[in-house]
């Protein structure tokens, strides 16, 4: 691999890692909503909004879901 391809691959893995961390944080922090009466569509919409929040998406700091929810609501 050349430098360009290597850099692209590394950035892809970093982005994937951060997205997985956000997904885990979402599941852990929204556990009460999942147990209660909560619509699946709302839950999936919240998950997509949190995991793919543009300013933090590529490699921004990991913001816990509870903090994210307080800042946007």
């Amino acid at each position: 691999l050349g430098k360009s391809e290597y850099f692209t691959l590394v950035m892809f893995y970093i982005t994937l890692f951060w997205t997985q961390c956000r997904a885990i944080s979402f599941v852990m922090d929204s556990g009460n909503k999942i147990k209660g009466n909560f619509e699946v569509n709302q839950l999936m919409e919240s998950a997509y909004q949190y995991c793919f929040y543009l300013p933090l998406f590529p490699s921004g700091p990991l913001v816990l879901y509870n903090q994210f929810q307080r800042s946007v609501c």
Side-chain angles (χ1 to χ4, degrees), residues 12-51:
F12 172 75
Y13 284 132
I14 289 172
T15 303
L16 186 64
F17 171 75
W18 279 113
T19 304
Q20 289 175 345
C21 287
R22 285 187 186 97
I24 291 169
S25 173
F26 176 79
V27 170
M28 298 298 289
D29 290 344
S30 64
N32 293 334
K33 290 181 181 179
I34 294 172
K35 291 177 184 176
N37 187 12
F38 198 77
E39 290 188 30
V40 175
N41 291 340
Q42 290 176 334
L43 187 64
M44 291 304 296
E45 183 179 332
S46 295
Y48 284 129
Q49 289 172 353
Y50 175 60
C51 288

Side-chain angles (χ1 to χ4, degrees), residues 1-17:
L1 291 174
K3 278 188 174 183
S4 176
E5 292 88 8
Y6 182 75
F7 179 75
T8 302
L9 190 61
V10 168
M11 288 307 295
F12 172 75
Y13 284 132
I14 289 172
T15 303
L16 186 64
F17 171 75

